[in-house]
Amino acid sequence: MNASLPSATNVPTLATTSVMTEPQRRRWLRWLVAAQALFVVGVAASGYATSYWGRTIWLQTAPVDPRDLLYGDYVTLNYTISQLPGRLWRGPQPPRAQQAAYVLLQARPDSTYAAVGIYPEKPSATENQAVLRGSVQDTWRRSVRLRYGLERYYVPEGTGKALEKRRHLKVQVRIAPWGQARITQVVPLPVSATTR
Amino acid sequence: MSRKLLETDGQEWVEKGIITPEQHARLLALYPLDTHAIGLLPLLGSLLVGLSALSLVAANWQGLPELLRLGLLLVSLGAAYMTGEYFYRRGNDQVGLGLIALGLILFGASIILTSQLYQLIGYDLTGLLAWAVAGMALTWLYRSRLLFLLTAIISGVVQGYNTGQLGAFSYLTAAFTALGLGYYWWRRPDALTGAVLATGLLWQSALLVSYLHIKLTWFFVPAMLIYTLGDWQPYRPAARAVQGPPLVAAFLFTLGLALFGEADSYTDTLRPPLLAYLATLGAVLALSLWGKQRRGRLSSATDWLLLLPGFYFQGGLALAVATLVVLYAYSGAVLVRAHQEQNQDRITLGTGLFILTTAVAYFKLTWGFMDKSLFFLVGGLLLLALWWYLRRRASRTAAASSSQQV
């Protein structure tokens, strides 16, 4: 550090406020560490809770350049709902980059879900619909690019290469009632389905 | 003074009869032998052991069962804090605080790795906000500049990630940074933490302006609020440190305006609604002047010259000239004040600013219609003359201040 800067110790003014005693400090530290550990456990619990209470939907990925697919220990997923036609937008103003967006999904006969509308506020959904939260990344005249935070799947060791070979994947996502979503499964799509 | 210097030069002082050998010995006793080098070895050793454990875990991370991974994160988190507190209690502040800082970093890493472990998606900011809050609590607990610095960086990164990736501005994070770290700095004023705090808050203000898609000159409202905080701070060096970053931003902006402001197409993106902008900035100005007056620093009100909203001028040469006048007034005011205070560092700063402004003005006003070799010749002579004049004034001030001290 720069030696010419005055250190906190020789500041005469308000600096000498009551310094905590040692037992006090240790007690506080213990509380702080416990709170941090609890928080991390809470994050894990929220993962389990999302699996437990969340409703299951299946999303289909769109083909991507296979070279980009496997990157380190995760695969990059590009969904069919990642880029949507602009006419699905249901907001009063045109969509802006970085804006939050709620995508209303409708179940299709093959049990995967497709987008039926993009809303700036969370819409209500019927029985066979689901709402997935994302954010607008880019807007063009005819289409909107969205990001859901589900674009990375952290793969168990060694299974990445197997996924990489399949250009079409089916991704199982669970959406909790409070909006949290997580990928629970990624499976290759049967060949017949890919040659639509 | 270092012991090394005492050992080498001290012998000479004894020979010249400046100090006696006894005094030399007593002086040496004031600076005991550095024991840090010896203490470093076990630290280095444990660091290597830790690194080997880390690489072992990292290599097999994906293969480990979920709960084991979670357990490993929690154990290392707790261990870092506990050993940190142990060393701190034993009086080894550096190692202790280093380990506490490591614990804080591990907390953030645990949140991120656990989210990855359960494939949780990232639009939930609470996790990262908790990281910043933990940093703030630790800063208060240990009264440490290192932890302050780390917390300011964490808040900035959290906010940057939030705006960049998730498309939302976290007002809570901004408020926590401003209040938590701001109040800490207010109670324990310090130049380093002041500069860090101001820079961190400016960064968040810039993110807010970009997030709201408003005219970028609105940035100067929060920036000058940070500046005003310095006006109210009684401890002068800390106040100056917190005012530095906003002034640098304002100066660079004005300099940019002088250089490129002629193209009206882009100055238009700088003009917020006139009344709203002037009223808001005026309110901040009033608050700042009040603070300056209460602390007896009204002479520094010239800093506000940089905030004159010259960009409301329709572009062209009028704007460039008006901006240059503002720049001259500001750097001149810095120089005059520095000479009055006989502050050598600020004289150097003012000289630099004055010369920079002259260079810009010269470039701006003569590049178009002057023969190029003449341009460089006259420019060089102008700068040399200015430099010579300012140096002479500076040395005269220095001489005056030393004669006063005698």
Side-chain angles (χ1 to χ4, degrees):
Chain A
M1 304 275 157
N2 193 339
S4 67
L5 295 168
S7 73
T9 45
N10 59 24
V11 177
T13 50
L14 292 156
T16 46
T17 46
S18 62
V19 174
M20 230 172 268
T21 62
E22 193 186 298
Q24 262 178 328
R25 193 187 65 230
R26 285 172 67 184
R27 195 165 57 238
W28 272 102
L29 181 73
R30 235 173 277 147
W31 278 111
L32 256 177
V33 176
Q36 292 180 24
L38 256 178
F39 190 88
V40 175
V41 171
V43 173
S46 122
Y48 285 117
T50 305
S51 301
Y52 189 79
W53 281 289
R55 65 173 295 182
T56 311
I57 62 165
W58 286 90
L59 298 172
Q60 210 174 320
T61 63
V64 287
D65 183 351
R67 275 173 308 174
D68 289 350
L69 196 57
L70 184 68
Y71 193 83
D73 51 358
Y74 59 84
V75 287
T76 306
L77 301 171
N78 178 35
Y79 296 92
T80 48
I81 57 166
S82 291
Q83 192 165 332
L84 291 172
R87 64 184 151 77
L88 290 183
W89 178 255
R90 302 278 185 271
Q93 271 108 33
R96 272 192 335 205
Q98 299 194 340
Q99 181 179 4
Y102 296 84
V103 177
L104 187 63
L105 299 166
Q106 172 89 41
R108 286 192 305 196
D110 67 347
S111 84
T112 61
Y113 279 68
V116 289
I118 317 168
Y119 296 81
E121 306 290 337
K122 191 173 180 174
S124 54
T126 60
E127 190 64 18
N128 57 354
Q129 287 179 328
V131 178
L132 189 59
R133 189 188 152 160
S135 63
V136 177
Q137 291 298 293
D138 266 314
T139 54
W140 295 288
R141 205 169 345 149
R142 296 253 173 90
S143 64
V144 184
R145 181 156 187 87
L146 297 149
R147 187 179 176 278
Y148 299 95
L150 298 167
E151 285 76 8
R152 281 180 183 184
Y153 177 60
Y154 295 88
V155 290
E157 188 92 334
T159 56
K161 288 281 171 203
L163 286 178
E164 186 189 13
K165 290 201 187 87
R166 310 289 187 134
R167 295 180 52 162
H168 288 270
L169 302 168
K170 224 166 81 167
V171 180
Q172 189 190 51
V173 174
R174 285 189 204 251
I175 310 174
W178 54 91
Q180 177 67 265
R182 69 176 282 212
I183 299 176
T184 39
Q185 218 181 336
V186 176
V187 292
L189 212 59
V191 181
S192 59
T194 62
T195 52
R196 278 176 293 172
Chain B
M1 199 187 301
S2 76
R3 183 184 170 92
K4 211 175 169 75
L5 182 79
L6 265 183
E7 277 170 350
T8 50
D9 290 17
Q11 210 56 48
E12 211 180 308
W13 301 340
V14 173
E15 279 160 20
K16 286 185 176 166
I18 301 171
I19 53 172
T20 65
E22 291 76 42
Q23 282 170 332
H24 186 213
R26 278 174 64 192
L27 278 174
L28 275 178
L30 287 179
Y31 301 88
L33 266 176
D34 210 356
T35 48
H36 283 299
I38 305 158
L40 265 181
L41 274 180
L43 188 70
L44 214 61
S46 45
L47 202 67
L48 285 179
V49 174
L51 275 180
S52 92
L54 189 69
S55 64
L56 186 73
V57 170
N60 298 297
W61 184 250
Q62 300 286 345
L64 298 176
E66 284 180 4
L67 283 175
L68 182 59
R69 284 193 252 178
L70 188 63
L72 271 175
L73 288 174
L74 291 177
V75 166
S76 45
L77 177 78
Y81 281 127
M82 288 311 156
T83 47
E85 165 64 27
Y86 172 79
F87 278 108
Y88 189 81
R89 203 166 59 234
R90 295 269 304 260
N92 202 338
D93 290 13
Q94 302 278 325
V95 178
L97 288 175
L99 282 165
I100 301 269
L102 178 68
L104 181 59
I105 291 170
L106 278 173
F107 178 48
S110 301
I111 296 172
I112 293 165
L113 286 174
T114 313
S115 313
Q116 282 183 10
L117 185 59
Y118 295 97
Q119 312 279 354
L120 290 170
I121 68 177
Y123 47 59
D124 199 352
L125 184 78
T126 354
L128 293 174
L129 182 59
W131 191 17
V133 171
M136 229 158 279
L138 286 169
T139 307
W140 275 95
L141 206 54
Y142 284 93
R143 314 284 157 107
S144 146
R145 292 204 289 180
L146 173 70
L147 292 172
F148 186 101
L149 190 77
L150 200 60
T151 307
I153 293 174
I154 289 173
S155 321
V157 169
V158 168
Q159 194 67 271
Y161 175 78
N162 199 32
T163 333
Q165 298 286 310
L166 310 179
F169 186 84
S170 166
Y171 292 97
L172 211 56
T173 306
F176 262 120
T177 317
L179 294 178
L181 293 184
Y183 186 62
Y184 179 88
W185 171 82
W186 185 260
R187 295 303 299 271
R188 297 177 65 81
D190 174 71
L192 177 69
T193 52
V196 169
L197 174 72
T199 313
L201 288 178
L202 281 186
W203 162 246
Q204 298 210 21
S205 314
L207 286 175
L208 178 64
V209 168
S210 92
Y211 166 73
L212 292 176
H213 294 276
I214 50 178
K215 306 275 182 183
L216 69 96
T217 32
W218 279 114
F219 168 78
F220 290 107
V221 172
M224 291 319 277
L225 267 176
I226 300 167
Y227 173 91
T228 302
L229 194 66
D231 283 330
W232 285 89
Q233 167 64 254
Y235 182 57
R236 196 74 185 263
R240 279 208 171 128
V242 94
Q243 292 182 330
L247 284 179
V248 168
F251 187 84
L252 289 180
F253 174 78
T254 314
L255 204 64
L257 201 63
L259 274 173
F260 311 111
E262 275 180 28
D264 199 36
S265 55
Y266 112 104
T267 19
D268 197 43
T269 62
L270 300 176
R271 295 188 188 116
L274 182 67
L275 271 181
Y277 184 71
L278 289 188
T280 326
L281 206 59
V284 181
L285 171 65
L287 204 61
S288 163
L289 289 179
W290 187 20
K292 282 180 197 298
Q293 193 241 332
R294 289 284 298 272
R295 306 273 179 238
R297 301 175 193 158
L298 263 180
S299 66
S300 65
T302 46
D303 285 347
W304 275 88
L305 280 174
L306 286 176
L307 275 299
L308 284 176
F311 46 84
Y312 281 111
F313 273 111
Q314 292 304 316
L317 207 59
L319 175 63
V321 171
T323 322
L324 284 171
V325 169
V326 167
L327 281 173
Y328 266 120
Y330 174 72
S331 44
V334 170
L335 262 180
V336 168
R337 262 168 57 209
H339 280 291
Q340 278 170 357
E341 296 171 15
Q342 303 182 341
N343 181 333
Q344 207 57 46
D345 288 343
R346 291 181 73 80
I347 290 179
T348 315
L349 174 75
T351 309
L353 293 181
F354 204 85
I355 290 179
L356 186 64
T357 308
T358 307
V360 168
Y362 180 69
F363 181 82
K364 195 75 215 166
L365 299 176
T366 59
W367 178 260
F369 46 86
M370 216 178 198
D371 181 61
K372 290 302 166 277
S373 56
L374 193 64
F375 170 86
F376 287 117
L377 180 70
V378 174
L381 289 177
L382 188 68
L383 285 189
L384 280 175
L386 194 62
W387 177 78
W388 173 78
Y389 172 72
L390 291 172
R391 280 309 322 156
R392 220 178 55 148
R393 276 221 57 175
S395 54
R396 212 181 287 159
T397 304
S401 76
S402 59
S403 70
Q404 262 176 16
Q405 277 163 15
V406 168

